[in-house]
Amino acid sequence: MLPNFLKQRAYLTPNRIALISQGTSLTFAGLYEKAKETARKLSSCGLQAEDTAAVLLNSRAETVIILHALQQLRVRTLFLNHRLTPAEMQYQLTDSGAKWLITEKSFREKAEVLNETATVIQSEALDDLPAAGYEERAEFAFEDVCSIMYTSGTTGKPKGVLQTYGNHWWSAAGSALNLGVREDDTWLCAVPLFHISGFSILMRSVFYGMTVYLMEKFDEKETAKLLKSGRITTMSVVTNMLQRLLRELGQERLHPNFRCLLLGGGPAPRPLLEACAEKNIPVFQSYGMTETASQTVTLAPEDSLRKIGSAGKPLFPAQIRIVSDGKVCGPFEHGEIAVKGPNVTIGYLNRPDANQKSFRDGWFFTGDIGYLDDEGFLYVLDRRSDLIISGGENIYPAEIEEVLLAHPDILEAGVIGVEDEKWGQVPAAFIVTKRAVQERELQAFCETRLAKFKIPKKVYAVPALPRNASNKLVRRKLLELLPS
Amino acid sequence: MLPNFLKQRAYLTPNRIALISQGTSLTFAGLYEKAKETARKLSSCGLQAEDTAAVLLNSRAETVIILHALQQLRVRTLFLNHRLTPAEMQYQLTDSGAKWLITEKSFREKAEVLNETATVIQSEALDDLPAAGYEERAEFAFEDVCSIMYTSGTTGKPKGVLQTYGNHWWSAAGSALNLGVREDDTWLCAVPLFHISGFSILMRSVFYGMTVYLMEKFDEKETAKLLKSGRITTMSVVTNMLQRLLRELGQERLHPNFRCLLLGGGPAPRPLLEACAEKNIPVFQSYGMTETASQTVTLAPEDSLRKIGSAGKPLFPAQIRIVSDGKVCGPFEHGEIAVKGPNVTIGYLNRPDANQKSFRDGWFFTGDIGYLDDEGFLYVLDRRSDLIISGGENIYPAEIEEVLLAHPDILEAGVIGVEDEKWGQVPAAFIVTKRAVQERELQAFCETRLAKFKIPKKVYAVPALPRNASNKLVRRKLLELLPS
């Protein structure tokens, strides 16, 4: 139980800048006032405590205000990834029982399709709505669910990860003790708010009293300019963004005020890290997932090259261990990465099966494979369930395979990630078919069912898929079938 | 539930300096190793989880190691104020059920008296003791009691304040979000470790991975030198220390690395704050008590003169309100200060009466009188129970009165604090006697029963004490009886 987060922050440091977005800024007092105003509008629409509302919104000040308004109302927020198809979104709305969809004009087409599943509220129309009262919460309970983000897994269907207010607090507190907190910190948010990497920045802002500089879409030119200006101290990126930023920077250096580039979303190639070290860019590699409410393991820049390839050590409140055959592994032994800590999700929504599988003795089993070295640094060898990370987006082969198998002519399907210069990885599909199917035809088939980044960039017809003794697909062996 | 604090810190940043004391330094890995070694020695003495051990030790590296060893063993630590008499210490040992007293040669006389109440362990003898195993704790439970510190009150007998591991965590986390955390922070500890102001620095050190510079006894010359050197970033002081430091500094300025002087232990006089502002000394005034595990309200330097006399605003996890006649007061209305937050004690040991009186609806009623202004800044008007603050030490009149009344010739006694240039306040006694009693005789009578700083510096014989309708002593009216 802590005081109402935004209310407390607005009380403690009313005049500090909370948000800079599209050239305008908002103090914490201003943000709180606007959030309450929006909460009254949403209340007049009928939103009530414990409802779930989906948001399909771009990264703008209005969105931040809406997200805080939902917290003030104690409405759970379901974050929709913009790139999902209406069918994928519909699944999440239905599964989460979201009654509401708050969206904006630019998503009109998708929203029209979802109109039947949830009551759509246009953010542009909020101003004209009447205001209604609601009970202001003096305190936020740690165990209350704040946000829901869907993530896939081995079983195909995405699962809703429940993130509590406590999860967000602990994630922010752990990060603060690791990265430090300074009064003049400004965190550049150019990652999507619908990913935990973005939303966690908004939560930290309230706990720390820290300015967020919100960029609607990552732009390397604008980013380079900002990072040279001294106005930004911290930024979250994925590998692809860092590559583009480095290219843009050329021979130029960042301002010494800039003290942390938090790198998430999969492993970084060595040459990239070396280029950063050479330019004195303070890269903090990290390991985390939706289920840990952002980074839970982080590597300090001073260890960046000494421990190349490592994701670092846990945040203070968090623990990691490697487990193999039910036993905790010693140094350098490979096994499944298990994590523990108050930042770890309380579980998946409506998925007792997945919860039973993932949680054992208070530990969350990530499905990722890795090891700890003799100093306790974590090395991630294989992302869980053959996870494909493409430009910072997580793609689960099983989800794509399920769609492919729905095609009448496909008998078997296996998907893996293949290297891609721009995105790190892209999905490639291997299929066993009744009759010849064209790659283009299959991609078109996927288009209405899968977000664009999930559509296989290459499709290979093969006579059979590699399977193990229990007839389970061995995705890793698909790599050997790739034409060289 | 968090990972074993010191073990986790030693794992995360083994090579960072944890402690500088008497010219030597210790890394976190070194501190952890030494704490485990000492835990094994103490274990061989018979110390077990859930025991209570009193410590009567000076501020040296060995003491810090012992304090951590006790945490490793899950033994509760009772902190004894060095200045108490053996009789006062005996009361605390008995009341807390402390089986053990860990002390050192310089306290030999006192320890000899206490020998019958608890098993005395000499810290100097630890090296020669055999080692015994103990079960290492993987985690620390928030609800476990870590430390006990006695504080007095209206009823005379001191009460044991139970401070949990959670209290210490939350206090440190709240302070981190307010004062910030930097990798190169070094906190100068020249306040006693047996007060929460000192011990809380050790706890923060482990959570933040921060260096503590431990000074055995406050020395203004050494402090001024350190604060000019750039080696220290933060320091905790009480008013008297600050006055001595300012005098020592003369025209000189502190190093710009020094960023926070945390001022506790009662209100600071305006000229002192003005002198600090003029010298650019970043004073953070604060309000806190043993029951809140250190500061719970703090004033930022930028508000120091604008809000002169204010103690500031709560830390992020904490709340304050002013209550009068059972109602929450509006701005500028005077009433009792109530505090709430996860840093607030779970209660007094063995004192259901005091707990019932102090805790209502989740709020802790401090007994202090104050008000909030229209921006929510706290102003403390009267410390609880006519508290006397003398050189940072809390003195409760009731405790002294009880001793005076034990004298065969004294019929009535009333104690108040009177102004003192050096200590801020010192106690003065008003007595109604059967026959004439000499001041010196009475002071001698007190010497075996009260710590030196509690002995009345002045004793006034009066015909009667001011009492209210219900015959209760009205201490404030004693001031009027002072000879002008």
Side-chain angles (χ1 to χ4, degrees):
Chain A
M1 200 79 107
L2 284 193
N4 178 325
F5 294 164
L6 184 58
K7 184 182 181 189
Q8 177 82 343
R9 177 47 64 198
Y11 161 37
L12 298 183
T13 54
N15 302 321
R16 270 201 213 160
I17 301 299
L19 189 65
I20 301 173
S21 166
Q22 297 170 304
T24 63
S25 67
L26 207 52
T27 63
F28 281 103
L31 177 58
Y32 177 51
E33 282 311 310
K34 282 188 180 290
K36 283 195 292 185
E37 199 183 303
T38 299
R40 287 189 291 266
K41 305 278 186 180
L42 293 173
S43 174
S44 83
C45 296
L47 272 76
Q48 285 181 1
E50 296 185 41
D51 279 358
T52 298
V55 290
L56 180 58
L57 295 165
N58 285 312
S59 289
R60 295 183 302 118
E62 291 76 7
T63 301
V64 177
I65 293 165
I66 289 168
L67 293 175
H68 280 297
L70 292 172
Q71 293 187 21
Q72 292 303 314
L73 290 168
R74 212 177 140 216
V75 167
R76 299 169 169 206
T77 304
L78 165 63
F79 284 88
L80 293 176
N81 185 324
H82 302 170
R83 304 170 75 184
L84 300 183
T85 63
E88 290 171 310
M89 291 183 184
Q90 199 155 33
Y91 174 79
Q92 297 188 12
L93 287 172
T94 308
D95 184 60
S96 67
K99 285 189 193 170
W100 315 93
L101 170 64
I102 307 175
T103 185
E104 57 183 68
K105 278 186 186 142
S106 54
F107 298 111
R108 184 177 291 169
E109 271 178 50
K110 284 177 178 172
E112 268 169 22
V113 183
L114 300 169
N115 207 5
E116 284 169 29
T117 314
T119 305
V120 174
I121 299 172
Q122 289 292 336
S123 67
E124 294 89 348
L126 280 175
D127 277 351
D128 303 327
L129 290 177
Y134 67 93
E135 202 189 337
E136 191 182 63
R137 305 163 64 195
E139 291 168 345
F140 283 7
F142 269 17
E143 59 275 18
D144 264 6
V145 173
C146 170
S147 46
I148 305 172
M149 295 183 185
Y150 275 75
T151 173
S152 296
T154 36
T155 51
K157 284 288 178 205
K159 303 187 288 276
V161 178
L162 300 171
Q163 296 162 339
T164 63
Y165 287 93
N167 290 153
H168 292 303
W169 158 267
W170 283 103
S171 165
S175 180
L177 295 185
N178 186 45
L179 305 179
V181 178
R182 301 180 185 212
E183 221 181 84
D184 59 353
D185 275 340
T186 299
W187 201 306
L188 174 57
C189 177
V191 285
L193 291 177
F194 55 76
H195 281 327
I196 187 59
S197 56
F199 183 54
S200 63
I201 299 172
L202 297 188
M203 296 305 286
R204 282 183 210 116
S205 161
V206 175
F207 298 129
Y208 305 173
M210 175 185 75
T211 307
V212 173
Y213 191 108
L214 191 61
M215 198 179 271
E216 189 161 356
K217 238 188 153 113
F218 173 66
D219 177 302
E220 55 263 55
K221 273 201 168 39
E222 197 189 333
T223 301
K225 220 169 100 182
L226 278 169
L227 267 46
K228 287 185 285 181
S229 75
R231 295 176 66 193
I232 304 294
T233 58
T234 317
M235 181 186 185
S236 301
V237 294
V238 296
T239 304
N240 172 263
M241 290 163 70
L242 180 52
Q243 280 164 330
R244 285 162 61 188
L245 175 63
L246 267 186
R247 213 172 298 133
E248 175 63 31
L249 273 176
Q251 292 311 306
E252 297 198 77
R253 301 237 158 190
L254 303 188
H255 193 281
N257 281 1
F258 185 77
R259 63 185 190 81
C260 168
L261 194 74
L262 188 61
L263 176 63
R270 186 179 184 121
L272 183 64
L273 294 175
E274 283 169 346
C276 288
E278 203 182 294
K279 279 187 175 324
N280 261 327
I281 299 179
V283 176
F284 289 72
Q285 288 180 264
S286 68
Y287 170 72
M289 58 209 83
T290 310
E291 289 89 337
T292 58
S294 166
Q295 31 137 7
T296 194
V297 174
T298 308
L299 186 69
E302 62 258 39
D303 295 318
S304 182
L305 290 177
R306 185 172 75 92
K307 295 288 180 180
I308 196 116
S310 168
K313 290 178 178 175
L315 299 184
F316 191 88
Q319 298 176 66
I320 42 172
R321 56 166 57 158
I322 307 295
V323 181
S324 180
D325 291 330
K327 277 186 198 142
V328 178
C329 296
F332 300 107
E333 282 175 35
H334 297 190
E336 185 174 0
I337 302 168
V339 298
K340 188 177 180 180
N343 57 317
V344 174
T345 177
I346 53 167
Y348 299 111
L349 186 65
N350 308 325
R351 297 295 290 269
D353 56 327
N355 288 331
Q356 210 188 344
K357 204 179 141 230
S358 298
F359 293 92
R360 271 170 273 161
D361 301 324
W363 289 81
F364 172 74
F365 284 74
T366 63
D368 294 340
I369 303 300
Y371 68 90
L372 297 171
D373 71 8
D374 47 353
E375 294 178 65
F377 284 85
L378 175 69
Y379 290 77
V380 182
L381 295 171
D382 256 321
R383 291 304 292 244
R384 62 198 136 154
S385 340
D386 307 300
L387 178 65
I388 301 163
I389 303 182
S390 184
E393 293 283 354
N394 287 354
I395 305 175
Y396 291 85
E399 198 184 346
I400 304 175
E401 289 160 6
E402 198 181 74
V403 168
L404 293 175
L405 288 170
H407 189 284
D409 293 326
I410 294 185
L411 295 169
E412 293 180 44
V415 172
I416 53 167
V418 293
E419 274 184 48
D420 181 87
E421 205 170 311
K422 184 166 179 195
W423 302 112
Q425 287 186 300
V426 291
F430 293 81
I431 49 173
V432 180
T433 57
K434 281 186 205 163
R435 58 164 194 87
V437 183
Q438 294 300 310
E439 185 175 81
R440 295 301 300 264
E441 182 202 333
L442 211 52
Q443 287 169 338
F445 176 79
C446 289
E447 258 163 31
T448 57
R449 294 165 175 87
L450 287 173
K452 208 168 172 193
F453 62 89
K454 298 180 191 169
I455 298 172
K457 297 293 165 292
K458 278 282 166 200
V459 179
Y460 305 102
V462 289
L465 296 184
R467 296 191 177 270
N468 67 12
S470 32
N471 208 32
K472 240 191 111 185
L473 176 66
V474 183
R475 289 201 189 87
R476 230 158 304 166
K477 289 208 175 159
L478 288 172
L479 274 176
E480 297 165 15
L481 302 181
L482 274 177
S484 54
Chain B
M1 203 78 108
L2 285 193
N4 179 325
F5 295 164
L6 183 59
K7 185 182 180 186
Q8 178 83 343
R9 177 47 64 197
Y11 160 36
L12 299 183
T13 55
N15 301 321
R16 271 202 212 160
I17 301 299
L19 189 66
I20 301 173
S21 166
Q22 299 171 301
T24 63
S25 67
L26 207 53
T27 63
F28 281 103
L31 178 58
Y32 177 51
E33 282 311 311
K34 282 187 179 291
K36 284 196 291 185
E37 199 182 304
T38 299
R40 286 190 290 267
K41 304 280 185 178
L42 293 172
S43 173
S44 83
C45 296
L47 272 76
Q48 285 181 3
E50 295 185 40
D51 279 357
T52 298
V55 290
L56 179 58
L57 295 165
N58 285 311
S59 289
R60 296 182 301 119
E62 290 76 9
T63 301
V64 176
I65 293 165
I66 289 169
L67 293 175
H68 280 297
L70 292 172
Q71 293 187 20
Q72 293 302 314
L73 290 169
R74 211 177 141 216
V75 167
R76 300 169 169 206
T77 304
L78 165 63
F79 284 90
L80 293 176
N81 185 323
H82 302 169
R83 305 169 74 184
L84 300 183
T85 64
E88 291 171 310
M89 291 182 183
Q90 199 156 32
Y91 174 79
Q92 297 188 12
L93 288 171
T94 308
D95 184 60
S96 67
K99 285 189 194 170
W100 314 94
L101 170 64
I102 307 174
T103 186
E104 57 183 67
K105 278 185 187 143
S106 54
F107 298 111
R108 185 177 289 169
E109 272 179 49
K110 284 176 177 171
E112 269 171 20
V113 184
L114 299 169
N115 207 4
E116 285 170 29
T117 314
T119 305
V120 174
I121 299 173
Q122 290 292 336
S123 67
E124 294 89 349
L126 279 175
D127 276 351
D128 302 327
L129 291 177
Y134 67 93
E135 201 189 338
E136 191 182 65
R137 305 164 63 194
E139 291 168 344
F140 283 7
F142 268 17
E143 59 276 16
D144 263 5
V145 172
C146 170
S147 46
I148 305 173
M149 295 184 185
Y150 275 75
T151 173
S152 296
T154 36
T155 51
K157 284 289 179 205
K159 303 189 288 275
V161 178
L162 301 172
Q163 296 162 339
T164 63
Y165 287 94
N167 290 153
H168 292 303
W169 159 268
W170 282 104
S171 166
S175 180
L177 294 186
N178 186 46
L179 305 179
V181 177
R182 301 178 185 215
E183 220 179 85
D184 60 353
D185 275 341
T186 298
W187 201 306
L188 174 57
C189 177
V191 286
L193 292 178
F194 55 76
H195 282 325
I196 187 60
S197 55
F199 183 53
S200 63
I201 299 172
L202 296 188
M203 296 305 287
R204 283 184 209 114
S205 162
V206 175
F207 298 129
Y208 305 173
M210 175 184 75
T211 307
V212 173
Y213 191 109
L214 191 61
M215 199 178 272
E216 189 162 356
K217 237 187 152 116
F218 174 65
D219 178 301
E220 56 263 54
K221 274 202 167 41
E222 197 189 332
T223 300
K225 219 170 100 183
L226 278 168
L227 267 47
K228 288 184 286 182
S229 75
R231 294 176 65 193
I232 304 294
T233 57
T234 316
M235 182 186 185
S236 301
V237 293
V238 296
T239 304
N240 172 262
M241 289 163 70
L242 180 52
Q243 280 165 331
R244 287 162 61 187
L245 175 64
L246 266 186
R247 215 173 296 134
E248 176 64 32
L249 272 175
Q251 293 310 308
E252 296 198 77
R253 302 234 158 192
L254 303 189
H255 194 282
N257 281 2
F258 185 76
R259 65 185 187 82
C260 167
L261 193 74
L262 187 61
L263 176 63
R270 187 179 183 121
L272 182 65
L273 294 175
E274 283 170 345
C276 288
E278 204 181 292
K279 279 186 175 327
N280 262 326
I281 299 179
V283 175
F284 290 72
Q285 288 181 262
S286 68
Y287 171 72
M289 60 209 81
T290 310
E291 288 89 336
T292 58
S294 168
Q295 31 137 6
T296 192
V297 174
T298 308
L299 185 69
E302 61 258 39
D303 295 319
S304 181
L305 290 177
R306 185 172 76 92
K307 296 287 181 180
I308 196 118
S310 168
K313 290 178 178 174
L315 299 184
F316 191 88
Q319 299 177 64
I320 41 172
R321 57 166 57 158
I322 307 295
V323 181
S324 181
D325 290 330
K327 279 186 196 141
V328 178
C329 296
F332 299 107
E333 282 174 35
H334 297 191
E336 186 174 359
I337 302 168
V339 297
K340 188 177 181 180
N343 58 316
V344 174
T345 175
I346 53 167
Y348 300 110
L349 186 64
N350 307 326
R351 297 296 291 270
D353 55 328
N355 288 331
Q356 209 188 345
K357 204 180 141 228
S358 298
F359 292 92
R360 272 169 273 161
D361 302 324
W363 289 80
F364 172 73
F365 284 74
T366 62
D368 294 340
I369 304 301
Y371 68 90
L372 297 171
D373 72 7
D374 48 352
E375 293 177 64
F377 283 86
L378 174 69
Y379 290 77
V380 182
L381 295 171
D382 258 318
R383 291 303 293 242
R384 62 198 137 154
S385 342
D386 306 303
L387 178 66
I388 302 164
I389 303 181
S390 184
E393 293 284 354
N394 287 355
I395 305 175
Y396 292 85
E399 197 184 347
I400 303 175
E401 290 159 7
E402 198 180 73
V403 168
L404 293 174
L405 288 169
H407 189 283
D409 293 325
I410 293 183
L411 296 168
E412 294 179 42
V415 172
I416 53 168
V418 293
E419 275 183 45
D420 182 88
E421 204 168 311
K422 183 165 180 195
W423 301 112
Q425 288 186 300
V426 291
F430 293 80
I431 50 172
V432 180
T433 57
K434 279 185 207 165
R435 60 165 192 86
V437 183
Q438 294 301 311
E439 186 176 79
R440 295 303 299 264
E441 182 201 332
L442 211 53
Q443 287 169 338
F445 177 79
C446 289
E447 257 161 33
T448 57
R449 294 164 175 89
L450 288 172
K452 208 168 168 190
F453 62 91
K454 297 181 190 169
I455 297 171
K457 296 295 165 290
K458 277 282 165 198
V459 180
Y460 304 102
V462 291
L465 295 184
R467 294 189 178 273
N468 67 12
S470 33
N471 208 34
K472 240 192 111 185
L473 175 67
V474 184
R475 289 201 190 88
R476 229 158 304 166
K477 288 208 173 159
L478 288 172
L479 273 176
E480 296 165 16
L481 302 181
L482 274 178
S484 53

